[in-house]
Amino acid sequence: MKKIIQIGMAGLGTVGGGTYAVLKRNSDELYARTGSRLEVKTVACRNVERARELVDASVEVTTDVMALAADPQIDIVVEVMGGIEPAKSLVLAAIAAGKHVVTANKALLAIHGNEIFTAAAQKGVVVAYEAAVAGGIPIIKTLREGLAANRIEWVVGIINGTSNFILTTMREKGLSFEQALSQAQQLGYAEADPTFDIEGVDAAHKITLLSALAFHTPVNFKAAYIEGISKLDAEDIGYAEEFGYRIKLLGITKRKQKGIELRVHPALVPKRRLVANVEGVMNAVVVKGDAVGTTLYHGRGAGAEPTASAVVADLVDIVRLMNGERADPAVSTIAPEADDSFWLPMSETVSSYYMRIGVVDKPGVLADVARIFADNDISIETMVQKETAPGEDSTEIVILTHSAVEGNVQQAVKAIEALQTVHGSVVVLRKEELC
Ligand code: NDP
Ligand code: HSE
């Protein structure tokens, strides 16, 4: 058993700082769990002066990120810098040097995961990434270990805290998207450039990783359909409420007979589902397994110590492995036979839908819309026509549909928008019943 495990940490920002603090504060706890002392030997970052103020004098601080991989005394490299480079070069160099790696970098793994996991498998080292998905929620461990008996049917999650905060604020305070985003920025939730958060890219990185793990496929970010919340109208949040639904930005991956669905978009979720009541910056992931049914995991998806909780848990797993305590849990299982036909194009996915259509209030309009629905094999579940305001000749029809094929819905929307009696674009949101 190795009594002292030496860690090289790239990045000492939000997650790095939290990880350093948890490792230090819970040192005895971690010793009791592993039989080893986990010590940070070196920290690499850009601002050395700031780092020096944060870490003990015994810790080396460097701006040379690659030095962590080259140092023979370092057992495990923790990559909490973010971005693609130099993170990718560091991770690959650490693997090549026979070091285990822990990373919180979902963007890196979603895009370069196959290369990284393959290199790690060839070298017999672990690349652990619990912190990359849903922060402190141990969802990777859950899929890999707790639910290992199951054939996973689907995984659906609120996995971007910033966008969930924005949606909650729009609904609770009746604010516009721009106003809610500005609040998120003031409170420090959203990034200075929040594009990845609000356009669904961050959630897509995360659901891509969960999908690969759940369905034993390579990581295929380019198969993900991505739609964010920036175009969402407060009016639709209000209508959804009237119908008994909440709008959430969901990461969705489902195993279907024809292939795998992988998508991120705002969706209506029945208010009675627990996940519809996950508010603010909190995250939640629902997993359906054939044996266990649906299970829900809820917690903080970001922040210094919640994310550090996941980073340090990965470190503990690796130390236990190094100490020969148990077999290497598979970090990823890559099906070499997987080709692009494994993933369904968005046009072949199946959802139910919410649509809001602006129409001229005159006879025959509803019949035209209903005919287009029927022609495209779309069945209506509920339909409401809003009262026409005095002096106005136009109104809105809001429709909820039963399950339909996305391609048919898009075709129907085009035909509806071409009607003379319809004005503007049809608002289309997907609906997930999660049962
Ligand atoms: P921060 O921006 O707070 O910290 C980044 C750190 O990395 C800083 O110490 C920075 O150094 C260092 N760094 C960045 N680029 C370089 C470089 N080229 N060379 C040397 N050092 C560099 O990021 P976070 O802690 O928020 O995020 C880190 C990772 O964790 C990202 O992959 C992120 O997606 C992921 N993550 C973050 C969560 C969160 O709540 N923040 C939650 C889950 C995952 P310096 O400060 O000196 O410039
Ligand atoms: N920007 C991310 C979020 C951080 O808002 O969820 C955690 O990955």
Side-chain angles (χ1 to χ4, degrees):
M1 176 176 298
K2 208 157 184 229
K3 280 285 160 203
I4 296 178
I5 302 290
Q6 309 236 56
I7 295 164
M9 203 152 82
L12 195 67
T14 305
V15 180
T19 300
Y20 185 83
V22 170
L23 282 172
K24 197 172 160 184
R25 188 175 71 235
N26 292 346
S27 171
D28 290 345
E29 197 74 34
L30 299 170
Y31 179 71
R33 294 214 164 100
T34 61
S36 300
R37 289 278 168 200
L38 279 66
E39 289 185 2
V40 176
K41 177 174 185 281
T42 311
V43 163
C45 61
R46 289 175 296 209
N47 187 339
V48 173
E49 275 164 38
R50 182 184 159 274
R52 273 264 65 98
E53 285 169 16
L54 291 176
V55 297
D56 292 340
S58 57
V59 177
E60 293 161 20
V61 178
T62 176
T63 53
D64 181 3
V65 169
M66 300 306 283
L68 303 180
D71 185 341
Q73 292 181 334
I74 288 177
D75 301 295
I76 308 173
V77 168
V78 174
E79 185 280 300
V80 282
M81 279 185 298
I84 302 300
E85 285 295 354
K88 183 183 172 202
S89 297
L90 168 65
V91 167
L92 288 173
I95 292 168
K99 298 182 197 308
H100 301 291
V101 174
V102 176
T103 178
N105 195 334
K106 56 259 177 173
L108 175 67
L109 293 182
I111 295 163
H112 298 287
N114 296 330
E115 183 183 349
I116 289 169
F117 292 137
T118 303
Q122 281 167 356
K123 202 72 191 173
V125 295
V126 171
V127 174
Y129 56 97
E130 185 67 75
V133 184
I137 303 174
I139 190 64
I140 303 292
K141 198 180 242 313
T142 297
L143 282 171
R144 216 173 54 196
E145 298 179 27
L147 299 181
N150 289 263
R151 184 174 195 274
I152 303 296
E153 294 176 10
W154 50 257
V155 182
V156 172
I158 295 172
I159 44 182
N160 182 266
T162 302
S163 48
N164 202 45
F165 172 85
I166 292 171
L167 292 176
T168 302
T169 309
M170 285 173 77
R171 184 179 57 77
E172 285 180 350
K173 302 194 176 152
L175 299 187
S176 67
F177 172 80
E178 287 74 19
Q179 289 166 323
L181 170 60
S182 154
Q183 271 206 9
Q185 283 172 315
Q186 277 162 27
L187 289 166
Y189 298 144
E191 315 280 332
D193 174 5
T195 316
F196 272 21
D197 292 319
I198 62 176
E199 297 303 348
V201 178
D202 178 71
H205 288 148
K206 294 166 179 168
I207 198 69
T208 296
L209 294 172
L210 292 181
S211 180
L213 199 56
F215 305 133
H216 322 294
T217 69
V219 178
N220 191 0
F221 179 64
K222 65 181 187 326
Y225 169 84
I226 309 173
E227 184 185 316
I229 59 167
S230 60
K231 294 189 183 69
L232 209 57
D233 203 319
E235 200 181 350
D236 296 304
I237 293 179
Y239 280 138
E241 281 291 304
E242 281 182 35
F243 283 116
Y245 290 86
R246 293 259 152 88
I247 297 183
K248 296 287 176 190
L249 181 71
L250 296 182
I252 299 171
T253 187
K254 296 184 179 181
R255 192 203 296 257
K256 292 288 173 71
Q257 226 167 9
K258 282 165 68 184
I260 291 167
E261 292 187 2
L262 181 58
R263 50 195 166 100
V264 171
H265 52 71
L268 279 74
V269 179
K271 269 196 259 183
R272 64 182 181 281
R273 298 263 173 265
L274 284 172
V275 76
N277 296 284
V278 172
E279 304 290 21
V281 283
M282 301 304 278
N283 280 199
V285 183
V286 188
V287 183
K288 183 161 191 206
D290 65 342
V292 73
T294 57
T295 54
L296 170 79
Y297 309 87
H298 174 256
R300 292 185 193 284
E305 294 214 357
T307 312
S309 165
V311 170
V312 176
D314 276 345
L315 284 169
V316 166
D317 264 359
I318 290 171
V319 173
R320 285 176 172 157
L321 174 70
M322 288 170 73
N323 289 341
E325 226 176 83
R326 59 182 184 153
D328 181 358
V331 172
S332 85
T333 317
I334 294 179
E337 73 279 13
D339 61 22
D340 278 351
S341 64
F342 262 51
W343 292 272
L344 289 178
M346 190 59 189
S347 59
E348 289 183 33
T349 63
V350 176
S351 292
S352 43
Y353 291 81
Y354 161 101
M355 292 189 208
R356 176 162 58 85
I357 309 168
V359 295
V360 179
D361 190 11
K362 66 179 211 184
V365 177
L366 218 53
D368 287 343
V369 171
R371 179 183 41 78
I372 291 172
F373 271 54
D375 288 349
N376 287 283
D377 203 17
I378 303 166
S379 159
I380 295 174
E381 181 193 305
T382 313
M383 182 162 59
V384 173
Q385 181 174 336
K386 292 283 150 182
E387 229 170 273
T388 312
E392 295 270 331
D393 67 348
S394 52
T395 185
E396 285 181 327
I397 303 172
V398 182
I399 295 173
L400 300 185
T401 77
H402 290 292
S403 291
V405 177
E406 172 84 16
N408 293 353
V409 171
Q410 294 304 340
Q411 216 162 289
V413 166
K414 259 196 216 143
I416 291 169
E417 285 174 347
L419 291 173
Q420 299 245 311
T421 45
V422 167
H423 42 77
S425 305
V426 176
V427 173
V428 182
L429 292 166
R430 298 165 194 90
K431 198 153 70 72
E432 291 293 328
E433 296 295 332
L434 301 180
C435 50

